Amino acid sequence: MENRHLCRGKRTDNGEWVEGFYFCMTHPNGRHTHHFIIPLGTDLSLGTPIEKIQVEVDPSTICQCTRLRDKNGKLIWENDIVNGSIKRGAAFYGCLVLWNECKARFDVRAFGCNFPMTLDECTDDISMSGFDYEVVGNKFDNPELLEV
């Protein structure tokens, strides 16, 4: 399955992560918007009403999938924290994966640093591009990994 359109977010009912396809609905009065994810693996062919399969998520935790995997095969998501090294020897720790709106790409940014490294230079095999990433957490569950 293509994973480039996947999103994830923390459920509002139990705080667990859910991965799937994102959509939102605004109340007719325009004052409240609900954010939902239809979980991966949901069988949509059975005619089940959307209200029974959608999961409401906290909008502040919604992350896009980068389509890339780390050296362990784990998907890399926006707001993940990664460690890595450049094959020429430089290492970096506790870097945050962020969407760069101006350049329409994912970047990796070290805490307190304004100079991003480009995440999307990588191919499906991260090590082929000269980088070796490992996801060590995310900014929601592991904020301590971003501290100096």
Side-chain angles (χ1 to χ4, degrees):
M1 165 179 272
E2 288 283 333
N3 52 29
R4 72 175 132 199
H5 303 293
L6 290 181
C7 288
R8 75 175 180 182
K10 285 190 153 212
R11 296 172 62 126
T12 56
D13 59 353
N14 64 15
E16 296 290 321
W17 285 102
V18 61
E19 296 176 6
F21 302 97
Y22 169 77
F23 71 101
C24 66
M25 293 173 35
T26 302
H27 192 274
N29 68 13
R31 285 197 243 159
H32 188 71
T33 301
H34 294 273
H35 301 267
F36 299 99
I37 289 182
I38 297 175
L40 281 178
T42 301
D43 188 353
L44 301 174
S45 66
L46 301 176
T48 306
I50 193 82
E51 296 80 23
K52 301 240 185 229
I53 57 176
Q54 67 192 14
V55 175
E56 188 166 4
V57 295
D58 176 349
S60 69
T61 65
I62 296 170
C63 306
Q64 300 176 66
C65 182
T66 67
R67 298 185 345 232
L68 302 171
R69 294 183 181 273
D70 73 358
K71 67 182 186 178
N72 300 314
K74 184 176 180 180
L75 280 173
I76 301 174
W77 297 85
E78 177 184 20
N79 296 311
D80 272 350
I81 301 168
V82 297
N83 291 338
S85 63
I86 299 172
K87 286 192 174 177
R88 289 173 255 151
F92 50 91
Y93 301 96
C95 292
L96 190 61
V97 176
L98 295 170
W99 177 250
N100 183 330
E101 188 70 32
C102 293
K103 297 193 178 184
R105 68 181 191 199
F106 286 99
D107 288 340
V108 179
R109 189 171 299 231
F111 182 77
C113 175
N114 289 328
F115 182 73
M117 295 176 283
T118 304
L119 181 67
D120 65 357
E121 289 174 357
C122 305
T123 60
D124 287 341
D125 178 1
I126 300 255
S127 62
M128 285 177 60
S129 69
F131 294 94
D132 196 10
Y133 294 108
E134 181 177 22
V135 174
V136 294
N138 65 65
K139 78 173 194 177
F140 306 105
D141 296 334
N142 314 97
E144 70 280 0
L145 295 175
L146 294 173
E147 295 172 5
V148 176

